[in-house]
Amino acid sequence: MAEIARPSHTDNLRFRPLVRDDLPMLFEWLRQPHVAKWWREVPADLAAVEAEYGPCIDGADPTELYV
């Protein structure tokens, strides 16, 4: 039997560094039930997301973040 070729959806997958403009999207994403169940502390507000990820974006923390 011949193998069926399947399209690869990863061909269009790209990562880029997280920037401050992404933080509102990240906040909403982290609060989704299917995501929040994997986090110890779900951010209460956008300020909490900025406090957590802002230092990495600004270079004060050496962790590299991508979206």
Side-chain angles (χ1 to χ4, degrees), residues 7-29:
S8 172
H9 298 291
T10 60
D11 291 342
N12 296 323
L13 182 63
R14 302 284 185 264
F15 290 95
R16 63 173 174 74
L18 184 72
V19 297
R20 284 198 174 271
D21 286 343
D22 295 323
L23 295 180
M25 175 197 62
L26 182 60
F27 172 62
E28 291 302 321
W29 182 70

Side-chain angles (χ1 to χ4, degrees), residues 16-51:
R16 63 173 174 74
L18 184 72
V19 297
R20 284 198 174 271
D21 286 343
D22 295 323
L23 295 180
M25 175 197 62
L26 182 60
F27 172 62
E28 291 302 321
W29 182 70
L30 291 171
R31 295 179 57 80
Q32 295 299 311
H34 70 285
V35 176
K37 71 180 182 179
W38 297 102
W39 254 248
R40 285 186 216 127
E41 295 181 29
V42 177
D45 53 27
L46 184 55
V49 174
E50 291 175 350

